[in-house]
Amino acid sequence: MAFTIYSTITLLAVIYCTVRPKILNSLELTMIFLLVMYLDSNMMDLITLNIKGIILSKKSQDLFAFYLTFIVLYPLIISCSLDYIRKIQAKLGKVLMILLAVFSIVGLEQGLKYFKVLIYQNWNWSFDVIQWLCIYLITYFLHSLFRNLVLKELKY
């Protein structure tokens, strides 16, 4: 069941983010996507292997649903929300977009928990919010530095 639901959500998100007009160029989107995958994989390794806070299901369809969201959907949500942030002028709108992205990712993880793809041992949803807020803010600031570097290089 989780496989069907999460593959459909991921497919719809990929189609939507592919066809909509974007402000960020493909190099920036790729950097954001890879950075989120890198940070998330390191955090999940730390949480699952060292802290033993989350246990993954042993079923192959559940693992596929988890890795599909982990590798494709979560970076896609953050990269699309960072693209939207470039369009928004109001600071309150930017903060709300960040919170919307973080809480949508946490909600999707709670869905994985509901379908028993993830089993929380020494972990809860508030740790998820903190984890994803940190990943988002690190990505936001590194993207700003990357954008400044690219713009400086293009001037010369």
Side-chain angles (χ1 to χ4, degrees):
M1 186 71 166
F3 170 74
T4 305
I5 291 171
Y6 280 89
S7 61
T8 304
I9 292 171
T10 303
L11 180 64
L12 291 174
V14 167
I15 291 170
Y16 174 73
C17 291
T18 303
V19 299
R20 74 174 185 81
K22 294 171 241 356
I23 291 177
L24 300 177
N25 62 35
S26 12
L27 181 63
E28 289 176 303
L29 290 171
T30 304
M31 188 277 303
I32 292 167
F33 205 87
L34 292 174
L35 182 63
V36 172
M37 281 177 34
Y38 175 75
L39 291 172
D40 187 25
S41 66
N42 284 330
M43 288 297 291
M44 282 305 290
D45 287 344
L46 186 83
I47 294 166
T48 57
L49 298 176
N50 294 348
I51 300 174
K52 301 211 186 311
I54 297 175
I55 297 174
L56 296 176
S57 172
K58 301 294 182 201
K59 293 189 237 172
S60 60
Q61 66 266 22
D62 289 344
L63 287 175
F64 185 79
F66 170 73
Y67 285 117
L68 189 65
T69 57
F70 179 75
I71 294 172
V72 178
L73 189 59
Y74 299 158
L76 198 62
I77 289 171
I78 291 179
S79 61
C80 286
S81 69
L82 280 173
D83 188 50
Y84 274 128
I85 284 178
R86 290 284 174 202
K87 293 180 186 177
I88 299 171
Q89 298 298 322
K91 290 187 182 205
L92 179 64
K94 291 182 181 192
V95 170
L96 289 176
M97 180 56 71
I98 291 171
L99 291 176
L100 179 69
V102 168
F103 281 109
S104 64
I105 291 172
V106 171
L108 288 167
E109 281 199 5
Q110 292 301 311
L112 289 173
K113 182 183 166 199
Y114 175 77
F115 288 117
K116 306 233 184 314
V117 175
L118 300 175
I119 299 165
Y120 286 8
Q121 282 190 330
N122 301 321
W123 201 252
N124 58 35
W125 69 271
S126 60
F127 292 154
D128 274 341
V129 170
I130 293 168
Q131 170 197 346
W132 282 106
L133 194 59
C134 289
I135 289 174
Y136 195 98
L137 292 176
I138 290 169
T139 304
Y140 180 81
F141 289 119
L142 287 178
H143 171 255
S144 297
L145 291 173
F146 180 77
R147 188 170 179 88
N148 290 338
L149 178 71
V150 168
L151 291 175
K152 189 188 330 179
E153 289 294 324
L154 289 176
K155 286 182 185 179
Y156 297 111

